Amino acid sequence: MIPVCAAVILRSGKILLARRRPGLRHAGMWEFPGGRVEPEETPAAALIRELREELGIEAVVGAEFARCRHAYDFGEIELIALLVPSFTGDLKLIDHDQFAWVEARRLLEYDLAPADIPIAKALAAHRRRDRYRGTHPRRFSEKYKELGGDPAATAKAKARGSTPAGAHLPVMLDEVIEALEPLAGAAVLDCTLGWGGHAAELARRAGPQGSVVGLDRDGEELARTGQRLQDLGLKVALRQSDYADARKVLAGLGLAGVDALLADLGASSMQLDRPERGMSLKADGPLDLRMDRSQGRTAADWLAQATQSEIADALARFGEEPDAAKIAAGLIALAACGRAPKTTRELVAAVAAAKGLGPGRLRKKDAFSPHPAARTFQALRIVVNDEHGALRTLLEDLPDLVHAGGRAVLLTFHAGEEALVEDALRAQAGVGLWRAAPTAALRPSPEEVRANPRARSARLWRVVRV
Ligand SMILES: C[S@@+](CC[C@H](N)C(=O)[O-])C[C@H]1O[C@@H](n2cnc3c(N)ncnc32)[C@H](O)[C@@H]1O
């Protein structure tokens, strides 16, 4: 595989394309400038060098935008597209005979070099954010430029350590790939597809001969992720399913087991951020919290019929909420006078009142300080999605889902999940199903936590099938 870097150079909302001059490979075709990544070079360092040599500019290289593979007659390349939010110097025609600054949606109108087409497709999927009345956006869909996939806005959000709205940053990606070691041709099961960040990398490693299956119970996000993976030219078989039914799904696909299995537990950033999903602590929305909104009871419905001790028990068990009893009493008092919370904001207010906090105390100081209602939301999410029931079934089935010599990785995010995973894997290792009991779980690096605070509580558990 030949690593090649490509620049998505941005200026005033447009992207630079350059046309290859006669006498060079792909003469007359348009491309995102870049070139080969030499051994010992990072893609970013290679891109800075290439842009200096072929365009005469000094580039500021931002986040990685996408990766895709293409087989040319001289070999297969892996094209790594990186964002270049700014540069200094005047553009010079050295390897090219023409430049064009192009709106993302028009990129595909150009005769592009074949390897660049998936990158252009991913960029073209960008749409303008919704127009809003007045001076300030009010609704979620109006607020964030990156919701439509604007690469510059996405790069800015990542640079300030936030998750770009409408996206999810894969947690401990390098560690997951290292632990799963997916080889070309591997059969892979991603039980929790989400945004597809892990699945995309697993699909690249498994290559065209591999079979990658992605499950998610959330049909709304699954459809969006399917489109994105397709735009990147990646082959992943998608199924809307609970991972408790993974065995049935694999059997339906004619797979007896897989070489690599991943379960990245909990909710995705898209679910947590979109107000209509009713999981957001910041924006108001219906108090829902279901990952699959076509099934089951909403959190508002559950709260409306639960007893005080059921609520207190759920908050203590699934959220480790120290004020579980006070919050449960407050919620029951509200229900008694017909004011049981029906929206996320009403639930936040009820928790704050039970904890004796004024509105000023509800604002998070920074991305690392927990929101006072976070534990309550987590507990209710676990209840309405029966997260622990599904996880127990997955853990029971795990040894049957993984081939001999195959690997499984689970990413947990709180103590309840950690205990279930650790106990099950240890017991199974004890009866000789895994090569060894999982050692202490891996944690994300401080750099990752700084760049993505949502990774801070992640723990990675890995096992190899006997
Ligand atoms: C943390 S996200 C996964 C993110 C993903 N690894 C990525 O890189 O984008 C967890 C996902 O698992 C899904 N999920 C949670 N419980 C599930 C279950 N029991 N069965 C299937 N999917 C589930 C959620 O809907 C969510 O999309």
Side-chain angles (χ1 to χ4, degrees), residues 192-198 216-217 241-243 264 266-267 271 291:
T192 49
L193 186 75
W195 170 253
H198 291 110
D216 205 299
R217 69 201 305 189
S241 167
D242 192 315
Y243 52 57
D264 173 13
Q271 294 165 336
M291 291 178 186

Side-chain angles (χ1 to χ4, degrees), residues 128-209:
R128 285 190 69 85
R129 80 176 139 169
D130 289 357
R131 301 224 170 264
Y132 51 86
R133 285 162 177 250
T135 50
H136 297 296
R138 288 179 200 287
R139 288 186 292 132
F140 181 74
S141 64
E142 299 165 340
K143 266 187 191 157
Y144 302 98
K145 281 189 175 178
E146 67 267 30
L147 266 181
D150 180 336
T154 303
K156 260 196 214 157
K158 282 188 183 170
R160 62 170 186 265
S162 331
T163 303
H168 178 97
L169 303 177
V171 169
M172 300 182 78
L173 180 60
D174 292 343
E175 293 87 342
V176 166
I177 299 297
E178 195 188 320
L180 286 176
E181 268 186 16
L183 300 175
V188 178
L189 174 63
D190 183 344
C191 296
T192 49
L193 186 75
W195 170 253
H198 291 110
E201 193 51 36
L202 291 166
R204 282 186 201 109
R205 307 272 170 151
Q209 308 307 323

